Amino acid sequence: MDRMISQDSLHPPSFSRSVSQESLDSTSIDDYWSEVKSIEESAENGQDQHAVLEVKSADEGELEEAWLQEAGLSTLMSGSPGEEPAEALFSTLTRMQAAVVKKRIDNYTQTQRKKKPVRDVRDIFAVEDSPPVFCPGAGSPNSALLSSKLFFRTTGRLESCASDCKLSKDSPSLPEELNLDVPYSECALRKDCRRNQRIKKDDATLPKFMIRKAKLGLTVVGDLSQEDMKKIGYISLIELTAYFEALGIELKRNRTVKSKVREYGLFGVPLTTLLENDQKKFPGSKVPLIFKKLLSKLEQTGLQTEGILRVPGSASRVKNLRQELEAKFYEDTFEWDQVRHNDAAGLLKMFIRELPYPLLTVEYLPAFIAVENISPSKLQLQALHLLMMLLPEPNRDTLKALLEFLSKVVANEEKNRMSLWNVSMIVAPNLFMYKGKTANPQEMQGAAGAAHVVRLLVKYQDILWTVPCFIISQVRKMNEAAMNKKHQASDKSKKKLLRRWNAEREKTERSELCDIPEGVIRVHAPLHAKVSMAIQLDNETKARDVMARFDCENRSGPRGSVRRQKQYLYEVGGNIGERCLDPETYLLDLYHVNPQCEWILKPRTT
């Protein structure tokens, strides 16, 4: 293949779990290597015509700089205030999260000092390690900010942490409850991470998990505003780093050197470029149209085909279909009826592996591979959970569509004879871009490990798209800290009197207009006949109750055609940008958490 990720990122570390002959049979491994061979042949025949993706090794300073930028902390390197809310972010960090940020900043400062020889007293008088106390070295930008009390805020371990984090052996019999209220890194212990565990191909051995119900409801990635999802990414990266360190596993990252890629066509085009082109024709598209069409074709006619995904299509037909798609797809003249099931599957896998930048991203591909070195499954699931929060939106939406399709394939196992393990073995080489070679023991480990990670993604996808509650809580605190800072800054501005007068006037107008007593919310429903309603909350009032009440009140209204589109209750503003509420959300609890928000009933934006 023309495009390969670096060898270090593709092959598991030396302490990868062992694979026994008892746990993996030759048939399942053969599926993996048959797929690798098919990929090789496709490349040799000129079908995989993607650009070369260059992955370079970076020095420690460059890696730390990239980490700080992606964690929303780039202002610490420049020394000047910026748009990224570094100080607000500090105010939300837990003890473990604060420790990894301190470590990264110290490493970056040390590398910068080596590049610019500046002697520091600590370089002259070596001291023994002491308990973590944040004290940036000389030359560290924004040292006053970093040493502020905000940085030292420690939530500590919640009282329930000890009981929630007891790890039992994987058992498929009874579902284990996952608590998303407690930061994973605050409970992770190195002794809990058991390595050298066998991978069993029997899907029935995978444990069952269920999410503990939350008073504030559960939130999936599409339910939050883009601005809040950006902050989710900041916190997730810091938490993932803290989590890996707590387990004693190095979080490796690749550094990508962008090369020239195609800006038109269907195959070998970046996801962002594809979506920009698609949105010109279909505004709001979140998954590339060609990808959705291939999935749709397979779902309509191929789910029950024996060996779907495993049995390759004709190489010559796939090549001709690709050329025809490139020429006719956007003209709506391509005849999909001519496409056979296995050829469509071949085109789907070709699309995934020809992406100029991998679906799991170059930066985090090593982290996905490192998940196979964690055990038991609960710890693996928590690591994947944080990685899902880090994926760029186009990658996340496309991966979500793929995993939903793979779940449907597995659901038809009785007819297509494709188990979850079979599907994972076929998909893994296309996602992880392994370089095909003659099989050896180390590569056998890589095959099983990569397939197991894909299996976890498919099996637990509903959990993986749920945003951890503790991260949403940190985003709320982050927004509150940013609002307080803005308020303090406005008091010092020349227009503080005018702003204060405007704020008082708006407050008076709202009071006169609403005059809402404690525990009462006013819900706005612009698409309903009755556009506003005051609702008294009690301890049992849920979001679904408000939705049902509006449906009842407006059942005979004049806007019946609009009412057929399902409406959801949103919290907007206050300490959150926007959040679509889980119907099981207890509104009085949310009212106390975010008393300044507005309540709006509207369709879900998808």
Side-chain angles (χ1 to χ4, degrees):
M1 297 174 66
D2 295 329
R3 171 165 64 93
M4 287 294 162
I5 308 301
S6 65
Q7 291 294 322
D8 290 341
S9 68
L10 288 181
H11 292 292
S14 58
F15 50 78
S16 176
R17 66 163 59 86
S18 63
V19 180
S20 69
Q21 196 65 29
E22 296 176 3
S23 61
L24 295 173
D25 61 17
S26 60
T27 303
S28 59
I29 293 295
D30 286 347
D31 287 345
Y32 183 96
W33 293 113
S34 294
E35 185 66 19
V36 171
K37 183 178 179 180
S38 177
I39 293 173
E40 278 189 307
E41 292 174 350
S42 178
E44 291 171 359
N45 293 333
Q47 293 181 38
D48 286 8
Q49 303 167 2
H50 36 64
V52 175
L53 176 65
E54 189 177 3
V55 180
K56 289 188 175 181
S57 59
D59 62 35
E60 189 177 7
E62 291 174 327
L63 290 174
E64 301 297 3
E65 181 179 357
W67 189 93
L68 289 169
Q69 287 177 341
E70 292 185 32
L73 302 173
S74 62
T75 54
L76 302 183
M77 297 178 290
S78 65
S80 59
E83 294 182 359
E84 292 166 299
E87 186 173 350
L89 180 55
F90 288 154
S91 68
T92 74
L93 299 182
T94 66
R95 175 180 58 84
M96 294 292 292
Q97 293 169 355
V100 297
V101 171
K102 173 194 178 303
K103 181 178 178 180
R104 295 284 177 164
I105 296 173
D106 282 349
N107 289 345
Y108 175 76
T109 303
Q110 291 294 333
T111 56
Q112 293 303 106
R113 192 179 294 123
K114 290 177 183 177
K115 292 180 180 179
K116 301 176 182 179
V118 177
R119 300 196 76 187
D120 182 80
V121 66
R122 292 179 301 177
D123 296 331
I124 302 172
F125 301 100
V127 296
E128 295 181 0
D129 291 338
S130 57
V133 176
F134 195 86
C135 182
S140 174
N142 280 346
S143 59
L145 170 62
L146 296 179
S147 59
S148 68
K149 291 182 180 180
L150 285 176
F151 187 79
F152 292 105
R153 182 184 181 278
T154 303
T155 61
R157 299 195 178 203
L158 302 180
E159 293 181 1
S160 61
C161 185
S163 60
D164 288 332
C165 299
K166 288 180 180 177
L167 295 175
S168 58
K169 294 181 179 180
D170 289 341
S171 173
S173 57
L174 296 175
E176 183 177 357
E177 193 175 57
L178 296 177
N179 184 2
L180 304 187
D181 293 322
V182 182
Y184 299 151
S185 61
E186 290 296 307
C187 296
L189 298 174
R190 188 171 301 200
K191 66 181 180 65
D192 291 330
C193 185
R194 301 192 295 269
R195 295 169 183 159
N196 298 322
Q197 299 292 303
R198 291 179 177 179
I199 301 176
K200 298 179 180 180
K201 78 181 189 69
D202 185 0
D203 298 328
T205 62
L206 291 175
K208 298 175 183 178
F209 295 105
M210 59 179 293
I211 298 177
R212 176 181 295 183
K213 292 183 179 180
K215 284 281 190 178
L216 300 185
L218 299 178
T219 306
V220 296
V221 290
D223 289 344
L224 292 167
S225 66
Q226 288 188 346
E227 189 60 33
D228 282 339
M229 280 306 301
K230 188 176 180 182
K231 296 167 187 173
I232 292 287
Y234 296 156
I235 298 169
S236 296
L237 176 56
I238 296 173
E239 172 65 12
L240 178 71
T241 308
Y243 185 67
F244 269 50
E245 288 204 6
L247 296 177
I249 295 177
E250 183 181 0
L251 178 59
K252 293 183 178 180
R253 299 174 72 238
N254 282 326
R255 175 173 170 263
T256 309
V257 178
K258 293 185 177 181
S259 57
K260 188 175 181 180
V261 297
R262 296 182 66 191
E263 296 182 357
Y264 59 89
L266 302 175
F267 295 83
V269 180
L271 286 175
T272 51
T273 304
L274 276 172
L275 288 173
E276 287 174 4
N277 295 336
D278 291 347
Q279 287 168 359
K280 294 175 184 178
K281 189 171 183 179
F282 297 98
S285 296
K286 292 189 174 183
V287 177
L289 295 177
I290 179 61
F291 193 73
K292 289 178 65 176
K293 190 62 182 178
L294 288 169
L295 293 178
S296 176
K297 173 66 179 179
L298 287 167
E299 287 179 12
Q300 290 173 6
T301 60
L303 287 179
Q304 298 182 359
T305 301
E306 184 172 342
I308 191 64
L309 296 179
R310 182 179 63 231
V311 179
S314 165
S316 59
R317 283 201 308 268
V318 170
K319 182 177 181 179
N320 292 334
L321 287 170
R322 169 191 171 137
Q323 293 173 349
E324 194 174 345
L325 276 167
E326 294 277 13
K328 298 181 179 180
F329 180 74
Y330 283 116
E331 303 297 327
D332 291 329
T333 57
F334 182 79
E335 297 182 8
W336 285 97
D337 292 340
Q338 67 174 321
V339 182
R340 302 183 186 182
H341 307 148
N342 294 330
D343 293 341
L347 288 168
L348 178 71
K349 292 184 290 186
M350 180 185 292
F351 176 89
I352 295 170
R353 65 175 179 265
E354 284 202 29
L355 288 170
Y357 309 107
L359 192 56
L360 299 181
T361 73
V362 172
E363 294 81 4
Y364 296 111
L365 203 58
F368 276 98
I369 294 174
V371 170
E372 68 185 74
N373 302 306
I374 302 172
S375 186
S377 297
K378 181 177 181 179
L379 297 181
Q380 292 179 313
L381 181 59
Q382 290 174 334
L384 289 174
H385 201 178
L386 295 171
L387 282 166
M388 291 294 102
M389 300 298 110
L390 282 171
L391 290 179
E393 186 177 3
N395 299 63
R396 189 169 56 236
D397 291 338
T398 304
L399 179 62
K400 188 173 186 293
L402 175 64
L403 295 181
E404 289 173 350
F405 164 72
L406 296 180
S407 181
K408 294 175 183 177
V409 173
V410 175
N412 286 270
E413 178 184 356
E414 289 187 5
K415 294 187 176 180
N416 60 35
R417 304 187 65 80
M418 292 293 291
S419 67
L420 176 57
W421 181 250
N422 295 141
V423 168
S424 302
M425 272 289 181
I426 298 300
V427 174
N430 295 280
L431 275 180
F432 289 98
M433 305 300 296
Y434 266 70
K435 186 175 182 178
K437 290 182 180 180
T438 303
N440 59 48
Q442 183 181 12
E443 288 173 336
M444 292 284 280
Q445 292 174 354
H452 183 60
V453 171
V454 174
R455 181 164 64 161
L456 295 176
L457 292 174
V458 178
K459 172 75 173 180
Y460 304 118
Q461 58 183 287
D462 291 341
I463 294 175
L464 296 175
W465 302 126
T466 304
V467 183
C469 299
F470 69 86
I471 295 183
I472 295 179
S473 178
Q474 288 185 267
V475 169
R476 290 186 188 276
K477 293 171 185 174
M478 191 174 172
N479 290 337
E480 289 170 357
M483 287 189 295
N484 291 336
K485 186 175 178 62
K486 281 184 180 180
H487 180 69
Q488 294 170 5
S490 66
D491 286 343
K492 299 177 181 179
S493 68
K494 296 179 180 179
K495 298 180 179 179
K496 64 179 181 179
L497 292 178
L498 179 59
R499 292 180 180 177
R500 192 174 297 171
W501 179 81
N502 286 335
E504 290 295 331
R505 185 185 64 177
E506 291 175 1
K507 183 177 180 180
T508 302
E509 289 176 351
R510 287 198 301 267
S511 179
E512 292 175 351
L513 184 63
C514 301
D515 194 22
I516 300 177
E518 180 74 15
V520 176
I521 62 172
R522 180 165 293 279
V523 180
H524 301 277
L527 297 182
H528 280 256
K530 189 169 184 176
V531 298
S532 180
M533 186 186 301
I535 296 178
Q536 175 70 58
L537 302 179
D538 59 37
N539 291 330
E540 300 301 321
T541 308
K542 295 182 180 181
R544 69 164 64 254
D545 299 326
V546 174
M547 296 159 56
R549 183 166 175 180
F550 266 89
D551 286 341
C552 181
E553 292 282 348
N554 292 276
R555 189 163 294 145
S556 58
R559 302 185 186 184
S561 58
V562 177
R563 289 201 314 276
R564 295 193 189 100
Q565 189 175 10
K566 190 168 184 179
Q567 310 276 299
Y568 292 87
L569 186 61
Y570 282 75
E571 60 165 321
V572 180
N575 55 30
I576 203 78
E578 178 177 288
R579 184 172 79 109
C580 180
L581 299 184
D582 177 356
E584 296 301 316
T585 303
Y586 285 87
L587 296 185
L588 188 59
D589 292 86
L590 180 57
Y591 171 82
H592 291 143
V593 170
N594 191 8
Q596 302 300 321
C597 76
E598 294 183 355
W599 308 83
I600 299 177
L601 202 66
K602 62 178 182 177
R604 197 183 229 128
T605 54
T606 57

